Amino acid sequence: MNRDEFYHLLRASSRIIEEVRSQRGIDVERNPATLLVLGSQSILGSWHEDYLPESVTTSIEMDLAVLPSELDECCFDDPAQELADYVEGSIGEDSWFEDEFDIYAQAVDETTAVLPEGWKRRLVRVDGRDHGISSVVLCLDPYDLCAAKLARLAEKDRRYIAALVDGGDIRLDELRCRLNMVRDPRMTIALRAQAVDFIRALEHSRPTH
């Protein structure tokens, strides 16, 4: 996914969500929705694909959550789930949108990822006004994103983190710090040990000067 496709998905998602919210009586111009991009492509909120290793931007999927406001809570039974479902139903996997543009949105919940404490304070805000995006868009800080991947460490997660480390985008000392800030019980002792071993292996594989 490149930056243009990133904005395209966000623009389409924003239009769907704001239309539904408007139908429920919300003044969307004064009270725009807040969209949270999780998963690997949230890195595009911080860096352009021309700067990133090619292997980091190969996914055609954007994991998207909605952070509901008090107005949304009043107008929907379960705003986060309902609004995300509208997006996935329209431009999700196997939709006409994917068929035409080869990218799609995956509805997720903000609790999907295992993240370090304080991650919300470090969210990266994307200014999409020049791209026709009326909603507020937030992306994970790159270190918090990599910490979340340390909680899974599937082969694709290992390649992703390694590519960013090799490219000089992610420092291992800071990544270790973020790992230590993960207090989510889903990060078990075994998973944490696996993550520590992976970071150590990356350190040993890097050339010394």
Side-chain angles (χ1 to χ4, degrees):
M1 186 179 300
N2 59 39
R3 198 68 176 273
D4 288 340
E5 291 169 329
F6 174 78
Y7 283 127
H8 189 185
L9 263 176
L10 288 172
R11 183 166 53 249
S13 300
S14 176
R15 287 174 179 170
I16 292 165
I17 287 172
E18 301 299 12
E19 180 178 351
V20 174
R21 296 174 76 241
S22 180
Q23 291 171 354
R24 298 294 179 95
I26 297 174
D27 184 343
V28 297
E29 291 189 7
R30 296 181 61 185
N31 302 282
T34 299
L35 311 184
L36 172 63
V37 183
L38 298 166
S40 62
Q41 299 315 290
S42 67
I43 198 79
L44 290 169
S46 295
W47 295 314
H48 194 281
E49 78 274 4
D50 289 344
Y51 173 78
L52 292 164
E54 184 177 354
S55 60
V56 170
T57 56
T58 57
S59 177
I60 64 170
E61 170 191 334
M62 175 188 286
D63 292 336
L64 192 68
V66 179
L67 302 181
S69 66
E70 290 184 6
L71 282 173
D72 295 317
E73 298 285 359
C74 292
C75 296
F76 297 88
D77 293 331
D78 186 356
Q81 185 65 55
E82 289 179 49
L83 290 169
D85 285 347
Y86 274 114
V87 172
E88 186 168 330
S90 298
I91 60 173
E93 190 172 13
D94 298 326
S95 66
W96 69 271
F97 190 91
E98 183 190 4
D99 289 342
E100 184 166 349
F101 300 110
D102 293 324
I103 51 175
Y104 66 91
Q106 174 74 45
V108 297
D109 184 86
E110 67 169 288
T111 62
T112 298
V114 176
L115 293 164
E117 288 184 341
W119 65 272
K120 285 189 175 181
R121 297 195 303 270
R122 296 185 292 273
L123 287 170
V124 177
R125 182 162 180 162
V126 175
D127 188 353
R129 290 172 296 179
D130 292 340
H131 299 272
I133 302 167
S134 56
S135 303
V136 174
V137 177
L138 302 172
C139 293
L140 290 178
D141 169 86
Y143 282 95
D144 290 332
L145 168 60
C146 287
K149 288 187 171 294
L150 285 173
R152 301 191 330 170
L153 274 188
E155 184 56 35
K156 65 178 182 180
D157 300 311
R158 293 172 182 269
R159 291 195 302 267
Y160 188 98
I161 296 170
L164 289 173
V165 170
D166 289 344
D169 305 299
I170 293 295
R171 301 189 313 276
L172 289 173
D173 56 345
E174 179 61 26
L175 181 56
R176 182 182 285 107
C177 180
R178 293 295 172 90
L179 174 62
N180 291 336
M181 293 166 64
V182 176
R183 300 289 183 265
D184 192 306
R186 290 174 292 178
M187 176 64 90
T188 63
I189 293 175
L191 286 175
R192 191 179 296 275
Q194 180 179 253
V196 169
D197 286 345
F198 176 68
I199 292 176
R200 186 177 297 121
L202 287 178
E203 286 177 326
H204 291 163
S205 67
R206 302 195 76 195
T208 57
H209 300 286

